[in-house]
Amino acid sequence: MGIEDNFLRIRKILPRKVSLVAVSKTRDVGDILMLYRLGHKVFGENKAQELIGKQPLLPADIQWHFIGHLQSNKVKYIAPFVNLIESADSLHLLSEINKQAAKHDRVIDCLLQMYIATEETKFGLTPEEASDILDSSEYLNMKNIRIRGVMGMASLTDDHQRIRQEFRMLNDIFRNLKSTFFATTGSFSEISMGMSGDWEIAVEEGATIVRIGSAIFGERP
Ligand SMILES: *Cc1c(COP(=O)(O)O)cnc(C)c1O
């Protein structure tokens, strides 16, 4: 099946209230335009270099989510236009995002990337680290970022029960952070979880954003 059919099939079964990020990493602008012409505007990239190469070639009303590990020295390149940085995983990075956002007179939305997998290799914060950030005076003084919720990646496994537990853990973390730090902040509302292989489980466990690449665009080279 082609990209358009894949997209339409997923869009049809995905509940309306769940946002779909089409993960376009490694895909060329032609593939992105194919979905844009169907009315889809939210795309995800995981490398700053690749994103800043594509962004100027594509319509300005595309909403770009940054979903990969972001080095502080790359923030300045995406700060003028990025819509949501889903992978904020340190106070240092948030501080740089805040600084670059201020230069462009913007408030940049971010998600805290949480560590939920049982693999050493995945990035992300523990609940304690997230609490320490949100408690810090440095964070409280940041006027040019807005934390909208959490993001996480489940383990790469066929064990659906384990994936479900990890997503459930992320939902618990979200609710704890919400009640402790954002009880009166309506904009803290997003749980980004679920990829091509596990998004249906993620939706059942309360995802508000799913990030789907290969199930739309086909296997990456
Ligand atoms: C690549 C990627 C995805 C999408 O992966 P697929 O399995 O192709 O759907 C989602 N989230 C992140 C953080 C990614 O890097």
Side-chain angles (χ1 to χ4, degrees), residues 154-166 201:
S155 298
L156 210 57
T157 171
D158 292 331
D159 182 348
H160 285 192
Q161 202 45 43
R162 182 161 135 203
I163 292 171
R164 188 178 295 282
Q165 278 164 10
E166 292 172 359
I201 303 174

Side-chain angles (χ1 to χ4, degrees), residues 21-25 44-47 66-69 86-87 113 122 151-153 156 192-199 210-220:
V21 179
V23 176
S24 50
K25 64 192 189 194
E45 291 282 341
N46 71 335
K47 293 203 167 77
F66 193 84
I67 62 171
H69 185 62
E86 296 204 15
S87 44
Q113 183 171 353
K122 298 260 162 76
M151 181 272 244
M153 289 170 87
L156 210 57
S192 174
M193 58 186 185
M195 316 190 346
S196 290
D198 56 21
W199 67 266
V210 293
R211 311 175 307 270
I212 301 180
S214 47
I216 295 174
F217 293 108
E219 290 303 323
R220 282 179 293 276

Side-chain angles (χ1 to χ4, degrees), residues 23-217:
V23 176
S24 50
K25 64 192 189 194
T26 77
R27 295 292 162 175
D28 62 27
V29 295
D31 287 350
I32 296 171
L33 280 172
M34 229 181 256
L35 293 194
Y36 182 82
R37 291 197 193 98
L38 295 176
H40 189 73
K41 304 221 165 136
V42 187
F43 293 89
E45 291 282 341
N46 71 335
K47 293 203 167 77
Q49 217 59 42
E50 189 176 340
L51 173 54
I52 61 180
K54 288 173 184 175
Q55 188 267 344
L57 308 174
L58 286 156
D61 64 344
I62 283 183
Q63 295 163 34
W64 292 104
H65 287 205
F66 193 84
I67 62 171
H69 185 62
L70 180 57
Q71 289 170 289
S72 296
N73 61 0
K74 301 281 171 62
V75 173
K76 59 178 174 286
Y77 302 116
I78 66 171
F81 64 85
V82 71
N83 280 86
L84 181 63
I85 295 177
E86 296 204 15
S87 44
D89 62 357
S90 72
L91 184 59
H92 176 71
L93 179 59
L94 287 170
S95 161
E96 181 64 17
I97 296 168
N98 183 62
K99 180 173 137 196
Q100 296 299 333
K103 282 190 189 163
H104 297 280
D105 209 11
R106 301 186 66 208
V107 173
I108 296 182
D109 282 347
C110 299
L111 303 180
L112 294 177
Q113 183 171 353
M114 305 302 303
Y115 180 83
I116 54 167
T118 37
E119 291 163 11
E120 296 295 325
T121 53
K122 298 260 162 76
F123 293 100
L125 299 160
T126 64
E128 293 71 28
E129 288 167 337
S131 295
D132 286 348
I133 289 173
L134 297 171
D135 259 335
S136 69
S137 56
E138 194 178 350
Y139 162 71
L140 292 169
N141 285 320
M142 293 177 188
K143 302 297 176 218
N144 295 81
I145 58 163
R146 181 170 65 160
I147 296 190
R148 300 288 318 277
V150 295
M151 181 272 244
M153 289 170 87
S155 298
L156 210 57
T157 171
D158 292 331
D159 182 348
H160 285 192
Q161 202 45 43
R162 182 161 135 203
I163 292 171
R164 188 178 295 282
Q165 278 164 10
E166 292 172 359
F167 288 151
R168 203 164 281 180
M169 191 195 313
L170 186 60
N171 194 322
D172 285 343
I173 293 168
F174 168 80
R175 281 183 288 109
N176 285 333
L177 293 175
K178 173 98 186 152
S179 65
T180 311
F181 298 100
F182 299 98
T184 59
T185 315
S187 57
F188 187 85
S189 56
E190 304 298 334
I191 305 176
S192 174
M193 58 186 185
M195 316 190 346
S196 290
D198 56 21
W199 67 266
E200 284 161 297
I201 303 174
V203 168
E204 285 168 8
E205 296 302 328
T208 66
I209 300 174
V210 293
R211 311 175 307 270
I212 301 180
S214 47
I216 295 174
F217 293 108

